[in-house]
RNA sequence: UGGGUUAUGGUGUAACGGCAGCACUACAGAUUUUGAUUCUGUCUGUCUAGGUUCGAAUCCUAGUAACCCAACCA
């Protein structure tokens, strides 16, 4: 008997519906194709797909493409690609624009029932008459047109007789409602614009509120799950379904994802791209799905993250460290180990034959010692500059004058000397090695505290490594004063020329590695046959850095 | 000054009138040829004030705070 895992509020709703006789459930993921999917969408995708999956239902992909001026096919393709990459398979692929004919008929039905009217007022006049949250609105002078006149005008709107903004169709609800959305909302507006799917067929398009719920209904969506800012729309959602007498889909809302050190709104992301703060939608510092993919996050790590953050109705600000934890958790199992020196410092082994070299076994997977690769060893190596301290601080396990360390997969060395240039910069470390301390056959009897990574200087290959850090310096950007661009982290990207093992030359774009002691990295698409480019996905957890501060 | 929504450790999320649990973080220790991983342990919480009850995070009353709503965006 295993412990029952507690249900989230949506699962509770669904189980109640099922116990009340609901046979199957149907959900949908409804992106607007006007931008790239981000990690917040990943949460919504996970919620919709996993709920349907758990209760034996299906999930549709439906593009909410009711605004032709902002929507593009490029976005449709990227969205589909990202959902597939996350590992989800939608049942049917729909577009709100598939329903434009039906929606138009629905509008006619509303007019016939005396529940919609054509308004000639200007945008400003409509806003003026709408009132404010604390004062009631006023009826439009066109509110009581006859059904016949409304029908005639509406079909003329469709025929293109009027210019943009000249007329709108409004639902006739209640101009004094405390819910602003119920004050005769606009349901159709004229836009003489080319639509990415319907071309120039239409010159008037339904608004969100007159498309979304009806689309849900047409697809027999049982649970229409959206974010909290749509709560005030729910009465309207229900009103249209009731008046139209169509399948009763129901809307449920959850709190959207917020991440520390991250902006999430499409508007701000678009601004980051357009104003050149990042190189594009898939710049690895962006919170988009395509950026996480490029940075080296796996679908599994994102699933784990979505699982861990849960779903509820309260505002939240998730520590981006949790996402990093999920990446490490997954990559630790998957990424082959390799030795890469990011900031090279020459180490010369004084008692090793200059003209000689040997091939050692490098561990690819600490959980499986038999999984090895060839690693070249010679008298001149590169080690990490930060692994040597001229005057070691207390509890320093790495190299320092007179100190010994293990070279991973190789020998123990003892530092005998170091050389500086005229400017006082370290240029070389001189060590002697202990021949009988060879990895795997160590009979030296010496125990050292520290192990460092290295590459053989004459075998090493140059590679570009992009060290990414968070894009912003402020934890809660929404709550911070000023503009979000005031908080851009100036060192969110540092490019270094690293020394890599030649074994890495076979690496494929997207392949994951752990650079020993440095972090998880993945091969970037900018790599060429001349030079590999690696992105740092995430650093390793480092308790030493924290302690020594 | 209107309406809606939400309040549980530093951050998330459970507990549905009956021992406030889990995860991340932080801290301490063990192991370690990655100061990683793994393992063990520790700290930290029910928005406030009343009330109902043998018993309240949970029910009631009154406050407080945060977020959303006045695009021909979604």
């Amino acid at each position: 008997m295993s412990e029952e895992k507690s249900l989230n509020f949506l699962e509770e709703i669904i189980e109640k519906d099922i116990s009340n006789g609901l046979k199957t459930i149907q959900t949908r993921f409804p992106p607007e194709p006007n931008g790239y999917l981000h990690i917040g969408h990943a949460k919504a995708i996970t919620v919709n797909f996993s709920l349907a999956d758990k209760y034996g239902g299906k999930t549709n992909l439906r593009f909410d493409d009711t605004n032709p001026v902002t929507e593009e096919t490029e976005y449709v393709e990227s969205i589909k690609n990202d959902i597939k990459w996350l590992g989800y398979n939608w049942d049917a692929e729909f577009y709100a624009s598939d329903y434009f004919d039906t929606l138009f008929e629905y509008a006619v039905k509303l007019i016939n029932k005396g529940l919609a009217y054509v308004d000639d007022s200007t945008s400003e006049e409509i806003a003026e008459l709408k009132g404010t949250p604390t004062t009631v609105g006023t009826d439009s002078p066109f509110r009581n047109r006859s059904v016949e006149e409304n029908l005639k005008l509406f079909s003329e709107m469709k025929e293109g007789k009027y210019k943009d903004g000249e007329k709108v169709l409004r639902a006739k609800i209640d101009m004094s409602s405390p819910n602003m959305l119920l004050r005769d909302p606009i349901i159709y507006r004229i836009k003489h614009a080319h639509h990415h799917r319907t071309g120039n067929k239409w010159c008037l398009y339904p608004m969100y509120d007159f498309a979304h719920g009806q689309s849900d209904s047409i697809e027999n969506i049982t649970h229409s799950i959206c974010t909290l800012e749509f709560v005030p729309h729910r009465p309207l959602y229900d009103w249209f379904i009731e008046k139209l007498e169509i399948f009763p889909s129901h809307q449920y809302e959850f709190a959207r994802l917020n991440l520390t050190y991250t902006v999430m709104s499409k508007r701000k992301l678009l601004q980051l791209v357009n104003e050149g703060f990042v190189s594009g939608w898939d710049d690895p510092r962006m919170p988009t799905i395509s950026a996480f993919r490029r940075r080296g996050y796996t679908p599994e790590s994102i699933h784990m993250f979505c699982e861990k953050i849960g779903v509820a109705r309260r505002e939240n600000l998730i520590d981006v460290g949790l996402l990093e934890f999920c990446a490490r958790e997954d990559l630790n199992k998957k990424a082959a180990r390799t030795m890469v020196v990011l900031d090279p410092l020459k180490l010369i082994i004084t008692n090793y034959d200059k003209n000689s070299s040997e091939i050692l076994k490098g561990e690819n997977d600490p959980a499986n010692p038999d999984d090895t690769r060839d690693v070249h060893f010679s008298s001149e190596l590169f080690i990490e500059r930060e692994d040597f301290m001229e005057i070691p601080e207390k509890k320093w396990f790495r190299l320092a004058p007179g100190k010994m360390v293990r070279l991973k997969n190789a020998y123990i060395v003892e530092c005998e000397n170091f050389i500086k240039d005229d400017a006082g910069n370290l240029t070389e470390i001189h060590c002697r090695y202990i021949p009988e301390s060879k990895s795997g056959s160590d009979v030296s009897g010496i125990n050292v505290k520290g192990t460092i990574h290295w590459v053989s200087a004459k075998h090493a290959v140059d590679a570009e490594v992009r060290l990414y850090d968070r894009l912003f310096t402020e934890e809660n950007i929404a709550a911070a004063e000023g503009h979000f661009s005031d908080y851009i982290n100036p060192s969110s990207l540092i490019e270094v020329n690293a020394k890599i093992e030649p074994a890495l030359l076979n690496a494929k774009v997207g392949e994951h590695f752990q650079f020993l002691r440095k972090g998880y990295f993945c091969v970037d698409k900018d790599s060429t046959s001349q030079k590999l480019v690696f992105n740092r996905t995430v650093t390793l957890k480092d308790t030493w850095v924290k302690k020594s501060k």
Side-chain angles (χ1 to χ4, degrees):
Chain A
M1 187 78 91
S2 65
E3 291 263 319
E4 191 75 9
K5 193 174 178 295
S6 56
L7 303 175
N8 66 48
F9 79 102
L10 292 167
E11 293 168 332
E12 284 185 359
I13 288 166
I14 291 171
E15 296 206 353
K16 189 159 170 252
D17 290 341
I18 290 172
S19 72
N20 287 337
L22 183 67
K23 292 290 183 295
T24 61
I25 77 157
Q26 178 78 46
T27 62
R28 103 270 90 115
F29 175 62
E32 183 189 10
N34 69 345
Y36 281 64
L37 257 29
H38 55 60
I39 187 76
H41 292 112
K43 175 180 180 180
I45 290 168
T46 303
V47 167
N48 277 293
F49 278 89
S50 59
L51 243 22
D53 185 55
K54 176 168 183 177
Y55 295 102
K58 299 266 176 59
T59 304
N60 290 342
L61 170 60
R62 184 178 69 239
F63 289 95
D64 232 336
D65 56 351
T66 57
N67 186 359
V69 304
T70 57
E71 295 153 5
E72 294 171 26
T73 311
E74 174 201 352
Y75 295 123
V76 170
E77 293 312 313
S78 79
I79 288 168
K80 286 160 67 170
N81 188 33
D82 288 345
I83 299 171
K84 280 187 221 158
W85 178 75
L86 284 172
Y88 293 107
N89 302 302
W90 54 90
D91 182 42
E93 177 181 328
F94 291 126
Y95 295 78
S97 54
D98 295 340
Y99 311 134
F100 281 172
D101 285 299
T102 309
L103 262 11
F104 187 84
E105 287 165 26
Y106 285 168
V108 169
K109 181 169 182 177
L110 235 37
I111 293 172
N112 276 315
K113 290 180 102 173
L115 295 172
Y117 62 97
V118 172
D119 196 332
D120 300 359
S121 308
T122 64
S123 179
E124 294 71 29
E125 287 163 346
I126 289 174
E128 180 70 23
L129 292 178
K130 194 164 233 169
T132 70
T134 51
T135 58
V136 297
T138 309
D139 287 359
S140 160
F142 303 96
R143 197 173 199 258
N144 293 313
R145 293 219 246 229
S146 67
V147 169
E148 292 67 32
E149 189 183 7
N150 281 319
L151 250 18
K152 174 171 167 285
L153 260 14
F154 189 48
S155 74
E156 286 175 352
M157 284 165 67
K158 183 189 181 185
E159 285 154 16
K161 203 163 169 188
Y162 305 107
K163 294 193 286 287
D164 287 12
E166 209 174 328
K167 285 181 166 44
V168 292
L169 185 70
R170 293 229 257 168
K172 191 191 281 191
I173 306 180
D174 178 6
M175 288 306 290
S176 63
S177 170
N179 182 342
M180 298 297 288
L181 292 160
L182 261 25
R183 321 249 260 227
D184 289 10
I186 293 168
I187 58 180
Y188 263 97
R189 76 293 213 192
I190 297 170
K191 277 182 193 281
H192 291 269
H194 181 269
H195 186 279
H196 75 116
R197 283 179 69 84
T198 61
N200 296 318
K201 179 179 175 187
W202 297 89
C203 63
L204 79 175
Y205 294 90
M207 297 286 289
Y208 166 84
D209 285 306
F210 199 71
H212 197 97
Q214 289 89 325
S215 300
D216 286 339
S217 181
I218 290 166
E219 294 174 22
N220 287 341
I221 302 298
T222 54
H223 300 265
S224 177
I225 298 161
C226 60
T227 47
L228 242 27
E229 63 268 28
F230 291 96
V231 169
H233 292 252
R234 190 176 349 117
L236 191 50
Y237 184 103
D238 293 338
W239 191 88
F240 285 128
I241 283 178
E242 183 200 326
K243 301 303 178 192
L244 259 13
E245 301 163 81
I246 54 180
F247 178 84
S249 296
H250 291 285
Q251 174 183 305
Y252 304 94
E253 312 86 9
F254 68 92
R256 71 182 320 144
L257 168 67
N258 298 295
L259 265 186
T260 56
Y261 302 102
T262 309
V263 297
M264 204 74 90
S265 83
K266 274 191 204 170
R267 206 194 87 250
K268 289 175 182 163
L269 295 180
L270 185 63
Q271 209 173 329
L272 287 171
V273 173
N274 287 344
E275 295 178 16
F277 291 108
V278 296
S279 63
W281 284 100
D282 69 344
D283 183 300
R285 293 166 291 183
M286 291 282 275
T288 56
I289 306 293
S290 50
F292 281 118
R293 176 170 58 233
R294 185 173 176 187
R295 175 124 171 203
Y297 276 72
T298 57
E300 291 75 16
S301 62
I302 292 174
H303 291 162
M304 193 190 310
F305 174 72
C306 290
E307 171 78 20
K308 283 185 184 297
I309 59 176
V311 54
R313 282 173 69 87
R314 80 183 81 126
E315 289 294 327
N316 59 78
L317 179 62
I318 310 279
D319 187 346
V320 73
L322 180 62
L323 186 53
E324 294 169 350
F325 165 82
C326 293
R328 291 187 188 108
E329 185 85 349
D330 191 46
L331 260 9
N332 179 46
K333 293 178 296 196
K334 294 178 176 165
R337 272 55 173 173
T338 180
M339 296 195 287
V340 171
V341 176
L342 300 177
D343 186 10
L345 173 62
K346 188 75 79 68
L347 182 148
I348 295 174
I349 300 176
T350 52
N351 59 338
Y352 194 91
D353 181 357
K354 262 200 235 13
N355 302 312
S356 174
S357 71
E358 64 186 300
I359 291 177
L360 305 171
K361 291 294 172 199
E363 196 178 62
N364 289 329
D365 176 5
N368 177 13
D370 296 336
D371 182 4
T372 62
R373 68 185 182 283
D374 290 345
V375 178
H376 300 273
F377 185 84
S378 63
S379 65
E380 290 198 12
L381 313 176
F382 288 117
I383 64 164
E384 209 69 64
R385 188 165 288 273
E386 66 174 18
D387 284 340
F388 176 82
M389 263 192 122
E390 191 179 331
I391 302 160
E393 51 191 279
K394 61 180 193 309
K395 299 195 79 175
W396 178 255
F397 297 165
R398 286 117 90 159
L399 262 190
K403 294 265 195 180
M404 283 187 174
V405 290
R406 156 79 60 187
L407 296 173
K408 176 73 181 176
N409 300 317
Y411 302 91
I412 291 172
V413 293
E414 179 178 16
C415 177
E416 298 175 309
N417 197 10
F418 57 90
I419 295 179
K420 288 183 173 177
D421 63 15
D422 295 341
N425 301 309
L426 274 170
T427 53
E428 281 178 13
I429 306 294
H430 291 191
C431 292
R432 71 178 183 97
Y433 85 115
I434 317 288
E436 58 274 25
S437 67
K438 186 172 174 174
S439 281
S441 54
D442 184 352
V443 291
S444 70
I446 303 170
N447 257 324
V448 292
K449 270 294 235 226
T451 300
I452 64 173
H453 61 282
W454 54 275
V455 289
S456 168
K458 72 175 161 202
H459 300 96
V461 179
D462 285 352
E464 178 179 332
V465 176
R466 297 174 180 169
L467 303 172
Y468 291 106
D469 197 357
R470 38 194 63 150
L471 225 205
F472 295 95
T473 54
E474 180 65 31
E475 183 169 84
N476 187 351
I477 297 165
E481 284 186 20
H483 194 259
F484 70 87
S485 60
D486 300 342
Y487 302 100
I488 296 275
N489 177 2
S491 45
S492 60
L493 168 58
I494 295 170
E495 296 185 11
V496 300
N497 193 341
K499 301 290 184 185
I500 67 173
E501 293 180 40
L504 227 28
L505 253 16
N506 302 318
K508 301 280 178 294
V509 170
E511 200 172 346
H512 306 281
F513 294 94
Q514 185 194 101
F515 292 180
L516 222 63
R517 308 203 304 131
K518 299 312 297 181
Y520 295 99
F521 293 75
C522 123
V523 183
D524 190 76
K525 64 179 185 183
D526 286 349
S527 297
T528 64
S529 54
Q530 301 303 308
K531 196 168 203 180
L532 282 170
V533 177
F534 290 91
N535 296 322
R536 181 169 70 195
T537 309
V538 65
T539 59
L540 256 30
K541 194 172 153 188
D542 189 343
T543 48
W544 170 250
V545 169
K546 274 182 288 198
K547 270 187 200 163
S548 57
K549 270 180 188 162

